[in-house]
Amino acid sequence: MNLELWGWNDFFANHFTPYHHQGFSVARVVIECRNSYILQSENAELSAEVTGKLRYRANKRQDFPAVGDWVVIRVREKEKTATIHEILPRKSKFSRKASGAETTEQIVATNIDTVFLVSGLDGDFNPRRIERYLILAWESGANPVIVLNKADICPNLEECLAEVESVALGVPIITISAATSQGLEALQTYLQPGQTVALLGSSGVGKSTITNQLLGETVQTVQTVRQGDNRGKHTTTHRELLRLPNRGLIIDTPGMRELQMWSGDEGISGSFADIEELAQQCRFRDCQHKHEPGCAVRQALQDGSLDASRFANYQKLQREIKYMETKQDQREYIAEKEKWKKITKAMRNYHKG
């Protein structure tokens, strides 16, 4: 098996060189299952676990392998198993805040070239949610493409398309109907050999149907959305890297009912470039866009060139990002404090001995 078919390139090869000299092998994570992994190596599919050393060094969830990662391994050929010793540097990383009260990062997928942000053109159509996904897509380092699915049941397609164009400045937008295969050929541009595409979107938007159509077979289970609220169940239960017949690679992900920011300074600049450019024209550099004289943002809101709901969402997402950054700083401070308490205790015990 040629590793280049799984996305291997010079970026990863350069980082792997010192490990290669030590006799290690390399593989890509295709499935992550709690504490175990399925890998694709040059010779076979392997089940694997991380070494105790890597587990000991891992302070946070993001220190463990994720789907899409290239990992340094020792292979046990007879058992078709391996141990993961290191994770090679990531070219891109799509993260969100893990669900629940704890402030931790959840890596959705890594080493992605393109992110298909899938949105349904049914009752669940939501431009504000698309803005949220765009921020995290820009932040990941991958290139976003918006895929509007279910065009066959959309009564106001041109209107919806215009709404998305107004919030996704300069981002490619593709309209499809996965159920009828309409427009799927437009996706092939991004599904080149060795290129990795991740499908992201909320439950019920049709990610699994798109995956099955591209694979040419039913690999992912598909369920209909609920009547009334157009929300789907979590059809895909885990993230998995799949190879397509054209040799492109695709990562289908479980639907996300909540997508909380983890970081987003660069992403918000990319997603709201129009508002950031307006802010540069304000008379005062620290303008809060409330009652200050010479505020270009307020002027744009008044003359209708800036949509009020878009600006409100921009402010909301900014507040959310700042809040998350504060929480992360607090968490890191507490972790650092605990680390030094352990070191001090160990030193005291050493001197007593």
Side-chain angles (χ1 to χ4, degrees), residues 135 261-265 267-268 314 316-328:
I135 289 174
M261 296 290 119
W262 177 251
S263 62
D265 285 344
I268 206 161
Y314 167 74
K316 177 187 172 187
L317 292 167
Q318 271 195 324
R319 287 193 299 271
E320 191 175 326
I321 290 165
K322 283 175 183 172
Y323 173 75
M324 280 308 305
E325 286 172 348
T326 303
K327 293 282 282 183
Q328 288 171 46

Side-chain angles (χ1 to χ4, degrees), residues 41-309:
S41 74
E42 197 167 13
N43 302 315
E45 191 172 89
L46 307 164
S47 60
E49 293 184 348
V50 299
T51 62
K53 185 178 178 182
L54 179 56
R55 190 177 299 279
Y56 178 78
R57 287 204 324 259
N59 295 318
K60 304 179 282 286
R61 286 171 65 171
Q62 63 267 33
D63 296 333
F64 287 93
V67 171
D69 271 331
W70 285 98
V71 290
V72 177
I73 59 171
R74 292 277 190 202
V75 182
R76 294 184 292 277
E77 300 284 355
K78 288 183 180 178
E79 297 99 24
K80 287 195 173 180
T81 60
T83 49
I84 299 170
H85 290 253
E86 298 287 349
I87 305 166
L88 291 182
R90 292 158 173 154
K91 188 174 65 174
S92 61
K93 178 184 71 168
F94 191 100
S95 296
R96 66 165 177 171
K97 177 193 170 293
S99 57
E102 194 178 352
T103 308
T104 54
E105 177 184 7
Q106 180 186 24
I107 298 175
V108 178
T110 69
N111 299 319
I112 311 157
D113 297 292
T114 306
V115 182
F116 283 170
L117 302 176
V118 186
S119 179
L121 286 165
D122 50 7
D124 198 36
F125 177 70
N126 188 336
R128 302 285 80 85
R129 190 188 299 131
I130 291 172
E131 288 175 333
R132 178 177 287 267
Y133 271 97
L134 270 172
I135 289 174
L136 293 182
W138 284 122
E139 196 73 17
S140 75
N143 295 314
V145 173
I146 293 172
V147 178
L148 301 176
N149 190 26
K150 308 185 184 183
D152 56 316
I153 60 169
C154 181
N156 54 336
L157 183 58
E158 292 302 319
E159 188 181 315
C160 289
L161 192 56
E163 275 194 77
V164 176
E165 285 172 347
S166 70
V167 303
L169 308 173
V171 177
I173 302 167
I174 299 173
T175 304
I176 68 166
S177 169
T180 64
S181 299
Q182 173 193 331
L184 286 178
E185 65 280 354
L187 303 181
Q188 296 296 340
T189 305
Y190 305 95
L191 296 164
Q192 299 300 313
Q195 292 287 295
T196 304
V197 171
L199 286 171
L200 296 164
S202 54
S203 304
V205 296
K207 298 188 303 297
S208 295
T209 305
I210 294 169
T211 300
N212 289 335
Q213 291 282 23
L214 293 171
L215 285 164
E217 58 182 316
T218 302
V219 173
Q220 305 292 56
T221 309
V222 176
Q223 294 176 344
T224 56
V225 296
R226 295 195 300 256
Q227 294 300 312
D229 63 1
N230 290 101
R231 285 301 188 86
K233 295 179 181 177
H234 291 288
T235 314
T236 304
T237 55
H238 60 270
R239 289 173 283 283
E240 181 173 359
L241 178 67
L242 301 161
R243 201 154 70 89
L244 301 174
N246 68 351
R247 298 181 176 182
L249 301 156
I250 197 162
I251 300 175
D252 191 5
T253 64
M256 300 181 207
R257 290 216 184 278
E258 61 171 336
L259 185 68
Q260 292 190 46
M261 296 290 119
W262 177 251
S263 62
D265 285 344
E266 289 180 30
I268 206 161
S269 296
S271 299
F272 293 93
D274 54 335
I275 298 176
E276 303 249 316
E277 284 173 20
L278 281 170
Q280 294 292 320
Q281 299 167 30
C282 292
R283 185 184 300 174
F284 301 107
R285 186 173 292 179
D286 59 348
C287 184
Q288 299 299 302
H289 319 305
K290 291 179 180 175
H291 309 292
E292 299 89 341
C295 175
V297 173
R298 300 309 308 178
Q299 181 59 44
L301 288 166
Q302 286 169 17
D303 65 27
S305 59
L306 175 60
D307 181 71
S309 59

